[in-house]
Amino acid sequence: MQDKTHLVDEITGHRRMRRNRKADWTRRLVQENRLTVDDLIWPIFLIPGSGIVEPIPAMPGVSRLTVDKAVEAAKEAADLGIPAIATFPNIEMELRDETGSNSLEKNNLINLATAAIKKAVPNIGVITDVALDPFTSHGHDGILRGSEIVNDETVEQVARAAVYQADAGSDIIAPSEMMDGRIGAIRHALDAAGHQGVGIMSYATKFSSAFYGPYREAISTGGLLKGDKKTYYIDPANGTEAVRDAALDVEEGADMLMVKPGLPYLDICWRLKEAFGLPTFAYQVSGEYSMIKAAAANGWIDGERVMLETLLAFKRAGCDGILTYFAPEVAKLLAKR
Ligand code: PBG
């Protein structure tokens, strides 16, 4: 009878994958992708007032911050080496209306925060979402007329809001409302206002996803939302349509692309990076974050390792960076290594 070692040798020949995995030093040497602090964008939530840090139950470890606390958070982020933060306002219910008119207030919550952060921490990048959902009484990203989210009127308002955000000091405008023609219109409006240096990170492929649940609690739109966002977000079944949608944003002048949610859409990250070669980002959204936190809290997974593994997966899928609520936690962890 043939000896078993000999049999494996005959099959593998000289090919043995495990040689490169045999020790920590070989594994480090052959590692193809690395996560660094430079890959991180930290989304934070804003509330009016001062001195308040209000935990969000559906997102353990994440809080809503008043502007002064957001400035402290931005300082912390900058000290950790995180390149940029992204801000999302939770404004008073009385200020929300059918058209999201507060988005056009020069000194609304998001613009006050931007100005304060840029003043105190000039070296951190500030990325602002310009969708209308934090400002509307119905929780939709655009203007609702009857039962329709009207495209062109929304684009016009979003482009005006983008200029106010840039006036306040925003470095990158990130439109997430998925209206047609928005990138071109925002570029045009920014340039006309003298903001040639302000970039646009398009939420190029934003899917109609259930993973946004905890975010809607965070900015208090969950209870408001009438219906769903299927007439403007992309169907999770469609990959080719997502690439076509992103192609339009590239043509219209997007500087960077984003895929959202992240982990369930790694194929889209890869396809966009391959197709356009633009800086490409994934948004690891609230539901992705909360699932990891919840399972870890129950002792079902090792939360820290799963966090790092998911973030590395984005790098492997071709992403240049990740918007993640884990940003400060990861940055601290990476600094210790
Ligand atoms: C909407 C917007 C959403 C998120 C950021 N901006 C989705 C939505 O509520 O429809 C989700 C972010 C997250 O889930 O972390 N403009």
Side-chain angles (χ1 to χ4, degrees):
M1 215 184 89
Q2 212 172 21
D3 125 20
K4 281 189 178 140
T5 312
H6 183 71
L7 182 62
V8 172
D9 261 340
E10 254 175 37
I11 294 163
T12 65
H14 60 285
R15 300 174 300 264
R16 286 192 180 255
M17 296 303 290
R18 292 183 54 189
R19 280 196 286 264
N20 288 346
R21 300 174 193 150
K22 70 182 171 191
D24 179 63
W25 70 264
T26 49
R27 291 190 293 269
R28 281 189 286 127
L29 208 55
V30 303
Q31 187 174 344
E32 296 174 34
N33 293 287
R34 276 192 179 79
L35 180 71
T36 80
V37 70
D38 298 325
D39 299 317
L40 305 171
I41 297 171
W42 184 19
I44 62 170
F45 296 104
L46 306 168
I47 41 168
S50 72
I52 305 167
V53 173
E54 187 176 82
I56 301 162
M59 300 180 72
V62 178
S63 298
R64 302 181 193 95
L65 310 171
T66 48
V67 170
D68 55 323
K69 294 291 175 186
V71 168
E72 283 174 24
K75 275 196 192 124
E76 186 199 348
D79 289 344
L80 287 166
I82 295 171
I85 58 173
T87 51
F88 297 93
N90 179 1
I91 71 168
E92 296 96 325
M93 282 298 157
E94 310 86 77
L95 294 179
R96 304 187 194 199
D97 59 24
E98 285 284 305
T99 62
S101 61
N102 186 257
S103 68
L104 297 176
E105 285 298 327
K106 231 179 161 15
N107 293 320
N108 63 12
L109 182 57
I110 191 164
N111 293 339
L112 285 178
T114 302
I117 290 167
K118 289 306 292 189
K119 185 163 174 231
V121 199
N123 291 333
I124 198 153
V126 173
I127 301 173
T128 51
D129 191 341
V130 79
L132 301 184
D133 58 305
F135 307 101
T136 55
S137 49
H138 42 74
H140 278 290
D141 292 20
I143 297 170
L144 184 65
R145 297 267 179 237
S147 61
E148 203 193 339
I149 302 299
V150 289
N151 193 90
D152 299 11
E153 211 181 319
T154 299
V155 168
E156 199 183 304
Q157 180 164 330
V158 159
R160 285 170 62 203
V163 172
Y164 288 129
Q165 292 188 352
D167 289 344
S170 176
D171 298 291
I172 296 180
I173 305 296
S176 76
E177 81 310 317
M178 293 299 281
M179 296 296 119
D180 289 318
R182 71 205 193 287
I183 301 298
I186 292 170
R187 184 70 270 156
H188 192 268
L190 288 174
D191 289 352
H195 290 302
Q196 279 81 0
V198 173
I200 302 177
M201 177 189 282
S202 172
Y203 284 68
T205 62
K206 181 163 181 186
F207 290 88
S208 183
S209 170
F211 283 97
Y212 308 141
Y215 165 93
R216 293 184 186 167
E217 176 183 318
I219 66 157
S220 313
T221 57
L224 299 178
L225 188 64
K226 290 184 201 134
D228 55 49
K229 303 190 177 184
K230 288 182 185 166
T231 69
Y232 44 107
Y233 291 177
I234 303 171
D235 185 335
N238 297 353
T240 302
E241 179 187 332
V243 178
R244 283 182 58 219
D245 201 320
L248 297 176
D249 292 0
V250 174
E251 250 173 62
E252 291 173 31
D255 300 290
M256 303 173 175
L257 300 175
M258 188 207 296
V259 175
K260 178 184 182 184
L263 211 59
Y265 299 89
L266 290 184
D267 56 324
I268 309 296
C269 297
W270 182 259
R271 286 173 75 172
L272 294 198
K273 189 68 190 178
E274 290 277 294
F276 309 113
L278 259 67
T280 303
F281 296 83
Y283 195 148
Q284 181 175 50
V285 300
S286 55
E288 299 178 70
Y289 172 87
S290 298
M291 287 197 310
I292 294 173
K293 283 292 181 192
N298 277 292
W300 297 334
I301 58 170
D302 178 333
E304 197 172 285
R305 285 186 57 205
V306 170
M307 165 182 81
L308 289 169
E309 189 175 329
T310 57
L311 294 170
L312 192 59
F314 292 116
K315 299 285 296 190
R316 197 192 61 244
C319 290
D320 297 277
I322 308 109
L323 290 95
T324 175
Y325 301 99
F326 287 119
E329 194 176 335
V330 187
K332 282 175 206 157
L333 209 63
L334 293 173
K336 272 195 280 174
R337 292 185 166 185

